[in-house]
Amino acid sequence: MKPAPFEYRAPDTVDGALALLAEHGEEAKVLAGGQSLIPVLNFRLARPAVLVDLNRISSLAGIEALAGGGLRIGAMTRQRAAERSDLVAARAPLLSEALPHVAHVQIRNRGTVGGSLAHADPAAELPALALALEARFRLRRAGAERWVDARDFYTGLFATALAPDELLDTIDVPPLPPGAGCAFEEVARRHGDYALMGVAAVVVLDGGGVCRIARIACVSAGPGPLRAPSAEAVLQGQRIDSALVHAAADALTRDIEPTSDVHASVEYRTQLARVLTRRAVQRAADRAAGTRSA
Ligand code: FAD
């Protein structure tokens, strides 16, 4: 099937795009890499009257170092550019580790960081990574902007805090605290397929090896990306050993709401979540210990 007819607009400035969104509101859709939107249009699951192509707006792409150690990523930065960036590897190694799991190289060459975050697919890696990294998003509309924490951005199944006339234009990733280690684990039917389950972990150890901060975020575990507060609480304030990692992984099963589908049952996804949490937390803790002993 082909998309329903639409008017195609390709502004070359952010202000031009925002003016179009202000004019057309819910009738408009922005086109980033098109890797999710084009199939949606072809299946006629969306029928926007106006398509606002962001690909000519060069100012929306790029990766910069933030003073103090964080990263600023333009929404139109291709996923593959982020994956291959030395700056991302140095400042947000969790992203470098996880991005190769996002679809296939050909899709990452076109797909954008902002497009994946805005699309809010519960099986997508980047939204969960944004939660684990406590990223912040700058949303712009004509004449105004606001910053939204990743944890407030996701509001349900394919649902976000973005208003119809708003654009996600920038993602800020704060620096990891000293003594942090990160790890990402997922299982997919084939490499590059959407994850049956994925777990991102950030563990911060103090000078004595006690877990000061634990952040765990899951992919394909509910209607949107989610953090796992029960599992995090088990780890925080404790010295991490194998028994504690098992206890955290068991606690995580209270935080998630996986569903059954043609690919996997709830029981299988829950067991995957347990196993992947153990692996991710243990590797993150080992890496954190490595930074402490280095
Ligand atoms: P588009 O498809 O252009 O847009 C997606 C949605 O976001 C649209 O509603 C659009 O209006 C909106 N949008 C885009 N940019 C903005 C913005 N800046 N501000 C506001 N709204 C915006 N993804 C994964 O995470 N993991 C996978 O394993 C995976 N596997 C895939 C396998 C296949 C075969 C395919 C085709 C895709 C797969 N994807 C996967 C999706 C891929 O990562 C997409 O690139 C991503 O979901 C959307 O990014 P995009 O830039 O292509 O956005």
Side-chain angles (χ1 to χ4, degrees):
M1 198 135 81
K2 292 292 164 208
F6 55 81
E7 186 187 337
Y8 173 78
R9 305 292 294 271
D12 49 21
T13 63
V14 173
D15 285 343
L18 295 178
L20 285 165
L21 293 181
E23 185 185 343
H24 298 285
E26 288 189 353
E27 294 294 302
K29 269 259 170 230
V30 300
L31 173 71
Q35 300 303 300
S36 296
L37 183 57
I38 296 296
V40 164
L41 296 183
N42 284 348
F43 283 118
R44 300 201 175 188
L45 295 170
R47 294 164 169 258
V50 181
L51 201 62
V52 180
D53 186 346
L54 303 180
N55 284 277
R56 289 192 191 157
I57 309 177
S58 53
S59 63
L60 278 178
I63 302 171
E64 291 170 35
L66 283 177
L71 270 183
R72 174 160 290 184
I73 305 177
M76 284 297 289
T77 304
R78 304 292 164 186
Q79 295 156 3
R80 181 75 168 153
E83 178 188 344
R84 300 180 72 164
S85 159
D86 292 339
L87 193 55
V88 172
R91 296 199 169 195
L94 184 62
L95 285 179
S96 305
E97 182 177 339
L99 274 162
H101 292 278
V102 176
H104 310 278
V105 172
Q106 293 85 343
I107 291 164
R108 298 198 294 278
N109 277 337
R110 288 302 299 167
T112 64
V113 173
S116 175
L117 293 170
H119 190 54
D121 189 320
E125 288 82 0
L126 281 166
L129 296 168
L131 289 190
L133 293 169
E134 300 196 334
R136 298 172 71 227
F137 302 153
R138 184 168 69 188
L139 312 187
R140 288 177 65 184
R141 60 157 52 97
E145 67 171 53
R146 60 185 176 126
W147 283 92
V148 176
D149 290 343
R151 68 160 62 209
D152 299 322
F153 183 73
Y154 293 102
T155 55
L157 187 63
F158 291 99
T160 70
L162 272 168
D165 61 347
E166 276 182 322
L167 198 63
L168 165 60
D169 96 325
T170 301
I171 299 100
D172 272 9
V173 180
L176 288 167
C182 311
F184 180 76
E185 292 279 345
E186 84 165 42
V187 167
R189 284 165 63 89
R190 293 168 304 187
H191 184 85
D193 282 2
Y194 279 104
L196 295 178
M197 181 59 60
V199 177
V202 177
V203 169
V204 181
L205 300 181
D206 70 14
V210 170
C211 175
R212 197 158 61 78
I213 299 169
R215 299 186 212 145
I216 301 173
C218 301
V219 180
S220 292
L226 51 81
R227 283 276 292 266
S230 311
E232 293 171 359
V234 168
L235 298 169
Q236 267 154 203
Q238 305 296 323
R239 207 170 280 281
I240 295 185
D241 59 18
S242 170
L244 194 72
V245 169
H246 275 68
D250 289 343
L252 178 127
T253 60
R254 295 199 295 275
D255 295 322
I256 59 175
E257 311 158 43
T259 50
S260 291
D261 60 22
V262 66
H263 302 297
S265 64
V266 169
E267 293 75 17
Y268 181 61
R269 283 203 161 92
T270 304
Q271 179 59 12
L272 276 182
R274 243 191 222 107
V275 173
L276 296 180
T277 300
R278 283 181 210 148
R279 291 180 188 164
V281 169
Q282 189 62 63
R283 278 204 304 121
D286 291 347
R287 287 172 172 171
T291 66
R292 282 285 167 210
S293 59

